[in-house]
Amino acid sequence: MTPQPISSEIFETALGWIAIAATERGIVRASLPEPTPDTALEAISDIKNGSLAESNAALHEAKRLLTLYCDGEPISLDTIPIDDSAWTPYTQHARAACRTIPRGETRTYAWLAEQASGNPKSARAAGRAMATNPIPIIIPCHRVIGSNGNLHGFGGTIGLPLKARLLEMEGAPSPVIPT
């Protein structure tokens, strides 16, 4: 399969720098808000396997909505198109289910596993799908928590404190960060 042309952009938000990359189908990679442009770019550096393309509509829409989201606006990111063509079917199902978690709410990894496969005991597989989520915030993996209510696993250089901040910003119940 020939790699699709990739468009990318980096921009500053109220929460930090975000880098995003897209094909014509939609967003394929995004960083979490990072303290520097370099750390944001590093998070998407693995997708530069296609030829560079001009910016596209998906990229512009993602930038606009992510900027509003990081400003604390109560908006939905559900309309941002994503390109999931390189993902396994299970990963597609898990990440699609994650996108249905409403703003200000959380779900457990077991819930996500049940939505993805019908088996809540495949929570580790759901956790893996979230841990390797290439499009955080747009696919709101920060809304997935442990069955005990604790926050688990979050990428970027800020980690769990950013996950807690995103949930707080969305009005979710106060999560527990394990010590």
Side-chain angles (χ1 to χ4, degrees), residues 35-98:
T36 69
D38 289 340
T39 52
L41 283 171
E42 178 63 29
I44 69 164
S45 64
D46 62 324
I47 56 87
K48 294 294 184 180
N49 59 357
S51 59
L52 235 36
E54 292 294 317
S55 190
N56 63 41
L59 199 67
H60 288 295
E61 181 68 355
K63 178 183 176 182
R64 183 181 76 77
L65 291 175
L66 283 168
T67 300
L68 290 171
Y69 174 87
C70 290
D71 282 344
E73 295 291 327
I75 60 157
S76 171
L77 302 174
D78 296 348
T79 59
I80 297 173
I82 60 172
D83 180 350
D84 65 358
S85 61
W87 303 346
T88 66
Y90 180 87
T91 302
Q92 287 175 338
H93 293 301
R95 292 177 182 159
C98 183

Side-chain angles (χ1 to χ4, degrees), residues 4 19 23 28 39 41 70 72 86-88 91 107 111 129-130 142 159 171:
Q4 288 198 359
T23 65
V28 292
T39 52
L41 283 171
C70 290
W87 303 346
T88 66
T91 302
R107 300 290 187 271
W111 176 90
M130 294 301 98
H142 60 278

Side-chain angles (χ1 to χ4, degrees), residues 101-113:
I101 303 170
R103 178 187 177 90
E105 296 183 23
T106 59
R107 300 290 187 271
T108 65
Y109 291 99
W111 176 90
L112 190 63

